């Protein structure tokens, strides 16, 4: 191989004449002659500099148009060390990042995975000392370190450089059909185990309906939404979200999984950068986000936390007292907290909540999420003589086991359950054992034309009832995400999408959506906000005659 010591050439592109050193080099590089032609037409005097990475090594190219009257250009090409010790691949990634492309766009342009792009970007940050893409852009511009050939036609470069590297050209234009915009890719993971309850089917269908309607309207700014749904056991959840992020999804939605499995899966999803939306109510999930906003800033909890359920029950009891349908003897409260969401602060929190409502906490115990027998616990509960018993969110088999065992207790104590009865067909599956049960949800269907229309379209699409919350929640989640996507140029610009999710609000089937609660969770009314237009109303029902009859807020006539 003959060492390359640099080349210089004066060219008169209009006449095709040229002179200078290393004619063989320029003969082998007609692309540089094309650069000169563009420069004469575009620069009108002046110069541009960039890095040439065609072939081996890195070369500095300077294109100078000193005399617009003579319409000549001078090219100087010399071997250089890449700035900051970057590799050729890292230069390409840095050029794309500095030009406004997101990780998925860079991966598509360079024919690699998004994870590979993320690794290269980490190296770029480490070598340049940059702490953001904006600073990378500043450093690349200062070093004239944009590379050619251009990795992607979508780069946003300084105007003169873009004109020199990408056009206009003298060759005749060929009319081509504009490529269809890349779809927005939405991944979703829902529980696979049959005992998860009918709410899982409703969630999947709600999300599916939202995607179908979006695409029927033309998608997001002309982009179709591709919906990839995965069923996973709790043990498979982490593997499922890892596979989705490796596939390059632009957002992830999660159904309700036990907290010990949800936390690492949420963290892994957030680490990939794509927004993560979920409807789980474990308070620790939002606390994790609050404690680590940089690492978990991509995580958005669409509803409030289950810490709102006890205050909601006590408001409902007050309503029942006022209406004369319930007379507590001594205002004694018992709470059964599922083991997977039990935290050390729950006792003090519930005791305070009870005291504020004029009640006394007399029993609080952690219960395994999947408990088949409650005989011993029921005996201890009866000894505590509660007037009301509040159960946190349990799977249907666990809830059935409690209700079936607590017959005598239920004769004098009001029993309240959280969330589980939202599943379509709950009263049919539980039969008489559900009669008289009071239950509530911090997010669910509200009285509005939006809700009425959704319920009609759901029944028409699936020939089934949507239920009172699960389907609507995940229908809304898709549309909340779609709104954020529609406000940015690319769904895979994760930082921009996250900022839109934080800064915009919307109204859906379940009420108002905005992620301004502690740790980016949605607001519950009146638990988190006293403004009903800013949150989801806390809804309470009683099962009577196999029918869910809403207690709070009263149904509007």
């Amino acid at each position: 191989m003959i060492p390359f010591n640099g080349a210089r050439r004066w060219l008169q592109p209009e006449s095709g004449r040229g002179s200078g050193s290393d004619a063989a080099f320029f003969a082998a590089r007609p692309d540089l002659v094309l650069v000169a032609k563009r420069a004469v037409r575009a620069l009108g005097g002046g110069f541009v500099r960039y890095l040439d990475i065609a072939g081996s090594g890195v070369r500095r190219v300077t294109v100078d148009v000193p005399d617009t009257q003579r319409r000549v250009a001078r090219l100087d090409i010399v071997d250089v060390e890449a700035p900051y010790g970057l590799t050729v691949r890292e230069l390409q990634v840095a050029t794309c990042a500095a030009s406004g492309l997101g990780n998925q766009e860079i991966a598509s342009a360079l024919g690699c995975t998004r994870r590979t792009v993320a690794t290269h970007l980490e190296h770029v940050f480490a070598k340049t000392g940059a702490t953001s893409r904006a600073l990378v852009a500043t450093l690349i511009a200062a070093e004239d370190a944009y590379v050619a050939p251009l990795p992607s036609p979508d780069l946003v470069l300084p105007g003169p450089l873009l004109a020199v590297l990408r056009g206009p050209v003298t060759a005749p234009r060929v009319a081509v059909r504009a490529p269809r915009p890349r779809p927005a890719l939405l991944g979703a993971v829902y529980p696979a185990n049959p005992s998860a309850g009918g709410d899982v089917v409703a969630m999947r269908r709600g999300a599916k309906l939202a995607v179908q309607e979006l695409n029927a309207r033309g998608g997001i700014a002309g982009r179709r939404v591709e919906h990839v749904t995965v069923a996973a056991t709790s043990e498979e959840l982490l593997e499922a979200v890892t596979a989705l992020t490796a596939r390059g999804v632009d957002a992830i939605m999660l159904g309700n999984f036990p907290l010990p499995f949800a936390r690492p899966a949420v963290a892994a999803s957030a680490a990939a950068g794509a927004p993560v939306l979920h409807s789980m109510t474990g308070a620790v999930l939002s606390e994790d986000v609050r404690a680590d906003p940089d690492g978990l800033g991509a995580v958005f909890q669409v509803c409030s936390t289950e810490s709102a359920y006890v205050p909601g029950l006590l408001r409902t009891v007050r309503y029942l007292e006022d209406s004369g349908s319930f007379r507590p003897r001594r205002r004694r409260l018992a709470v059964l907290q599922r083991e997977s969401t039990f935290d050390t602060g729950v006792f003090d929190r519930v005791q305070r909540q009870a005291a504020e409502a004029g009640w006394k906490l007399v029993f609080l115990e952690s219960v395994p999420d999947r408990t088949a027998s409650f005989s011993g616990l029921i005996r201890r509960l009866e000894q505590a003589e509660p007037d009301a018993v509040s159960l946190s969110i349990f799977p249907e088999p666990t809830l059935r086991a409690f209700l079936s065992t607590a017959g005598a207790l239920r004769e004098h104590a009001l029993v309240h359950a959280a969330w589980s009865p939202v599943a379509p067909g709950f009263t049919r599956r539980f039969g008489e054992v559900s009669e008289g049960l009071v239950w509530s949800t911090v997010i669910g269907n509200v009285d509005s034309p939006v809700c009425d229309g959704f319920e009609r379209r759901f029944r028409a699409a699936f020939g089934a009832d949507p239920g009172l919350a699960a389907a609507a929640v995940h229908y809304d989640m898709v549309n909340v995400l779609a709104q954020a996507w529609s406000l940015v140029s690319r769904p895979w610009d994760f930082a921009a999408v996250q900022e839109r999710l934080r800064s915009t609000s919307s109204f859906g089937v379940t009420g108002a959506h905005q992620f301004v609660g502690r740790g980016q969770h949605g607001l519950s009314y009146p638990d988190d906000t006293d403004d009903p237009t800013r949150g989801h109303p806390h809804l309470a029902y009683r099962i009577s005659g196999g029918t869910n009859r809403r207690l709070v807020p009263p149904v509007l006539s």
Side-chain angles (χ1 to χ4, degrees):
M1 179 180 294
I2 300 174
F4 178 78
N5 296 316
R8 173 178 295 173
R9 195 169 199 192
W10 286 89
L11 298 111
Q12 291 180 285
E14 294 297 328
S15 65
R17 293 194 299 271
S19 62
S21 64
D22 208 337
F25 170 79
F26 286 104
R29 293 292 306 274
D31 56 305
L32 293 176
V33 177
L34 180 58
V35 164
K37 289 181 179 181
R38 290 170 174 163
V40 167
R41 289 167 172 75
L43 295 185
F47 69 94
V48 295
R49 302 168 75 227
Y50 63 94
L51 298 178
D52 175 69
I53 57 171
S56 60
V58 179
R59 293 165 178 162
R60 165 71 65 197
V61 177
T62 303
V63 189
D64 191 1
V65 183
D67 189 342
T68 56
Q69 296 300 317
R70 293 174 56 202
R71 299 188 65 77
V72 296
R74 190 185 77 183
L75 272 72
D76 286 291
I77 301 99
V78 295
D79 280 332
V80 294
E81 295 292 332
Y84 305 106
L86 299 176
T87 66
V88 168
R89 198 57 151 177
E90 289 163 1
L91 282 169
Q92 289 179 304
V93 170
T95 294
C96 291
S99 303
L101 299 192
N103 284 18
Q104 182 57 55
E105 292 172 297
I106 299 174
S108 299
L110 300 182
C112 60
T113 67
R114 185 155 62 184
R115 180 166 294 180
T116 299
V117 171
T119 299
H120 286 312
L121 273 175
E122 288 178 5
H123 295 163
V124 171
F125 287 148
K127 291 180 180 181
T128 62
T131 56
S132 67
R133 288 173 182 255
L135 187 51
V136 169
T138 299
L139 296 174
I140 291 297
E143 293 286 340
D144 293 317
Y146 299 102
V147 297
L150 296 179
S152 166
D154 296 328
L155 300 188
V156 179
L157 301 174
L161 182 60
L162 190 62
V164 167
L165 294 181
R166 202 170 67 186
V169 298
T170 56
R173 294 183 177 272
V174 179
V176 295
R177 180 176 296 176
R180 179 172 295 183
R182 170 198 176 287
L185 190 57
L186 172 60
V189 188
Y190 293 103
N193 49 306
S195 64
D199 59 338
V200 175
V201 175
M203 289 176 183
R204 293 174 66 120
R205 286 176 169 175
K208 181 178 180 180
L209 178 62
V211 171
Q212 289 176 342
E213 292 179 352
L214 283 171
N215 287 331
R217 296 195 297 267
I220 309 298
R223 299 182 191 275
R224 284 186 57 79
V225 178
E226 290 188 5
H227 190 203
V228 181
T229 303
V230 178
T233 65
S234 298
E235 293 77 10
E236 296 168 338
L237 176 58
L238 180 58
E239 180 182 354
V241 299
T242 301
L244 285 174
T245 57
R247 181 169 177 173
V249 295
D250 301 313
I252 292 178
M253 286 176 29
L254 297 176
N256 297 349
F257 288 88
L259 194 58
F261 300 96
R263 290 181 80 182
V266 166
S269 303
V276 184
L277 279 72
H278 70 86
S279 56
M280 291 174 277
T281 57
V284 71
L285 291 173
S286 62
E287 287 300 316
D288 286 347
V289 176
R290 184 194 64 80
D292 185 13
D294 292 330
L296 296 173
V299 180
F300 298 87
Q301 182 171 313
V302 73
C303 55
S304 183
T305 71
E306 61 184 23
S307 61
Y309 278 117
V310 167
L313 164 63
L314 297 176
R315 279 197 307 274
T316 303
V317 167
R318 186 168 61 248
Y319 168 80
L320 294 173
E321 285 187 84
D322 292 342
S323 66
S325 58
F326 177 61
R327 298 294 184 192
R329 294 171 297 173
R330 290 180 291 174
R331 297 179 179 272
R332 294 163 65 87
L333 174 67
V335 175
L336 301 186
Q337 185 82 12
R338 56 179 172 163
E339 187 176 68
S340 66
T341 58
F342 190 87
D343 64 85
T344 56
V346 66
F347 181 85
D348 290 340
R349 181 173 65 248
V350 174
Q351 188 176 50
R352 183 183 67 254
Q353 292 170 340
E356 290 173 350
W359 281 64
K360 181 179 181 180
L361 178 64
V362 295
F363 189 100
L364 190 151
E365 193 165 310
S366 171
V367 179
D369 290 38
R370 303 191 183 282
T371 301
S373 174
F374 281 90
S375 299
L377 189 147
I378 293 293
R379 285 195 294 271
R380 295 197 303 276
L381 266 176
E382 289 176 335
Q383 292 171 1
E385 299 182 335
D387 294 298
V389 180
S390 181
L391 313 177
S392 64
I393 303 171
F394 287 113
E396 285 192 7
T398 306
L399 179 58
R400 180 190 293 274
F402 178 88
L403 295 177
S404 300
T405 310
L409 177 68
R410 296 175 67 185
E411 290 179 4
H412 60 80
L414 181 150
V415 175
H416 161 264
W419 176 261
S420 298
V422 303
F426 176 87
T427 57
R428 172 179 49 79
R429 290 190 296 277
F430 273 56
E432 285 297 319
V433 76
S434 68
E435 189 68 15
L437 179 68
V438 172
W439 66 272
S440 64
T441 175
V442 294
I443 186 171
N445 302 19
V446 299
D447 301 316
S448 71
V450 174
C451 181
D452 295 341
F454 160 76
E455 291 177 343
R456 287 195 302 271
R457 297 192 303 276
F458 188 99
R459 293 187 183 99
F462 303 109
D465 190 84
L468 294 170
V473 170
H474 283 251
Y475 177 89
D476 278 1
M477 285 167 65
V478 172
N479 284 301
V480 166
L481 180 61
Q483 175 179 279
W485 278 347
S486 71
L487 296 173
V488 301
S489 59
R490 305 175 183 93
W492 45 93
D493 186 349
F494 297 151
V497 174
Q498 291 173 33
E499 183 55 36
R500 289 297 185 178
L501 286 170
R502 295 186 192 101
S503 61
T504 57
S505 59
S506 62
F507 190 89
V509 180
T510 60
H513 292 274
Q514 51 183 344
F515 299 101
V516 296
R518 186 180 177 92
Q520 295 185 164
H521 71 61
L523 301 178
S524 174
Y525 168 80
D527 306 288
D528 301 314
T529 175
D530 56 5
D531 183 351
T533 67
R534 299 185 65 218
H536 310 284
H538 192 152
L539 305 167
Y541 298 82
R542 168 177 271 164
I543 298 175
S544 177
T547 300
N548 292 295
R549 304 184 186 280
R550 200 168 82 198
L551 302 174
V552 178
V555 178
L556 300 176
S557 59

